[in-house]
Amino acid sequence: MNMFEIDELVFSYPQKQEAAIKGINMRIPKGSFCAVVGRNGSGKSTLAQLLNGILSPSAGKIRVAGLDSSIAENGQKIRRLVGMVFQNPDNQLIASVVEEEVAFGLENLCIPPHVIDEKVNQALEIVGMSAYRFHSTSMLSGGQKQRIALAGVIAMQPECIILDEATSMLDQKSRTEIIEVIESLQAKEGCTVLMITNNMEEAARAERVFVLNNGALALEGTPLEVFEDFALLNSLGLDSPILMKIVDAINHGRDHSVQLTAINVEACAEAISSALKNLHQRKL
């Protein structure tokens, strides 16, 4: 079953002649980890807000776990199903104490206090912030604030989490930690993850990548399929992950070929080692 079914989606902002989203068709399976990339102004964040029900389509259809987003009665259900983590955690955090922040959404649903306490414990443990339960949110680092914002979403137990450039303001260490938390959540809980990002290294960790350009879907496929065409990506204002460039440099002008099976350090090292072994055997 699909988490999102998007058909001929169009969205226009008032007073703007050109549509921000132009006839997009997408399928995102439940339990998958997908990434949406594109240069600034390509429509990534607009798409994220349409999928969460913050914005409504100007034309076309969005179905979220089978629910038609154009039906007003489905709006609240969709927002329960789809949690959002935004770029700047300061714009998302409301409470002054960590546990109050994580509990905020649950309290609005009138959930019994003992259940809220249990869910807050679980969410803080998942993001590695249990020790900060009684800390002031204003005293946290940027990475810690983003973890708390993520914990608040996790506590609501959505079927899907959308990260709208949620790591772009973080240092590399914090970026990696947030992505690892999300990957673990997807693997262990079967949560659907949709990551909106300008970071190609992060996008390479997804199962499928969608490339937006000027509001339209320009390209989609596995990370290997999407990132292998350097010229096309360059024409779209995008780059390839560094590992793809390393392999391309190794292969250039040589009589052997390094074949990647995935875009990560382990797969790259294994592919280079295998290519060298094959080359050595041919010379014997």
Side-chain angles (χ1 to χ4, degrees):
M1 182 177 180
N2 291 317
M3 187 71 220
F4 296 105
E5 296 179 356
I6 305 164
D7 295 300
E8 297 300 325
L9 179 64
V10 176
F11 179 79
S12 298
Y13 288 102
Q15 284 80 50
K16 288 194 176 182
Q17 291 185 342
E18 187 175 10
I21 297 294
K22 304 169 184 174
I24 286 179
N25 294 284
M26 292 171 63
R27 294 291 185 271
I28 297 176
K30 274 193 172 184
S32 64
F33 178 17
C34 298
V36 176
V37 302
R39 57 187 167 189
N40 292 337
S42 61
K44 303 188 302 297
S45 291
T46 299
L47 176 62
Q49 292 178 53
L50 285 161
L51 297 182
N52 180 246
I54 296 173
L55 298 175
S56 298
S58 301
K61 288 284 187 182
I62 300 175
R63 291 179 179 81
V64 183
L67 297 173
D68 188 338
S69 70
S70 66
I71 299 175
E73 293 76 20
N74 289 337
Q76 187 173 0
K77 294 177 183 177
I78 288 172
R79 283 185 284 276
R80 284 289 307 277
L81 288 171
V82 184
M84 287 272 288
V85 182
F86 296 94
Q87 181 180 38
N88 189 344
D90 287 328
N91 295 336
Q92 189 161 358
L93 302 184
I94 298 171
S96 59
V97 178
V98 166
E99 71 166 355
E100 294 174 0
E101 175 62 37
V102 180
F104 181 80
L106 298 170
E107 290 173 345
N108 287 339
L109 297 176
C110 300
I111 292 175
H114 72 279
V115 177
I116 291 178
D117 188 62
E118 181 181 343
K119 290 182 180 295
V120 169
N121 282 337
Q122 292 173 346
L124 288 174
E125 184 176 349
I126 288 172
V127 301
M129 290 293 286
S130 297
Y132 293 83
R133 178 167 184 153
F134 303 108
H135 281 54
S136 168
T137 53
S138 64
M139 300 301 291
L140 301 176
S141 69
Q144 290 170 334
K145 287 180 179 179
Q146 200 61 288
R147 283 171 178 260
I148 297 307
L150 178 57
V153 171
I154 291 172
M156 299 292 289
Q157 296 183 305
E159 291 190 19
C160 174
I161 295 178
I162 298 178
L163 295 97
D164 187 7
E165 300 197 47
T167 64
S168 63
M169 297 179 67
L170 306 180
D171 59 36
Q172 186 56 53
K173 181 175 182 294
S174 297
R175 277 176 178 264
T176 301
E177 289 173 348
I178 290 292
I179 297 302
E180 287 176 349
V181 168
I182 285 294
E183 288 177 333
S184 176
L185 194 66
Q186 184 245 349
K188 294 178 180 178
E189 305 295 333
C191 182
T192 307
V193 175
L194 183 62
M195 182 169 57
I196 312 296
T197 182
N198 275 328
N199 186 301
M200 299 304 109
E201 315 302 327
E202 291 179 354
R205 299 174 74 143
E207 297 167 13
R208 194 160 191 83
V209 179
F210 299 89
V211 182
L212 297 190
N213 182 55
N214 197 28
L217 182 61
L219 186 63
E220 69 171 288
T222 66
L224 281 172
E225 291 169 341
V226 167
F227 292 125
E228 69 180 356
D229 193 333
F230 292 3
L232 177 57
L233 287 172
N234 186 62
S235 73
L236 298 174
L238 300 174
D239 207 352
S240 282
I242 187 63
L243 289 176
M244 295 289 288
K245 292 182 177 181
I246 290 172
V247 169
D248 183 67
I250 293 172
N251 287 336
H252 187 69
R254 289 176 170 82
D255 62 352
H256 59 276
S257 178
V258 176
Q259 300 292 331
L260 279 179
T261 56
I263 309 176
N264 58 55
V265 173
E266 293 78 12
C268 186
E270 184 177 341
I272 292 172
S273 175
S274 178
L276 290 175
K277 286 179 182 178
N278 290 336
L279 178 63
H280 178 68
Q281 289 174 353
R282 289 203 301 270
K283 290 182 176 180
L284 291 179

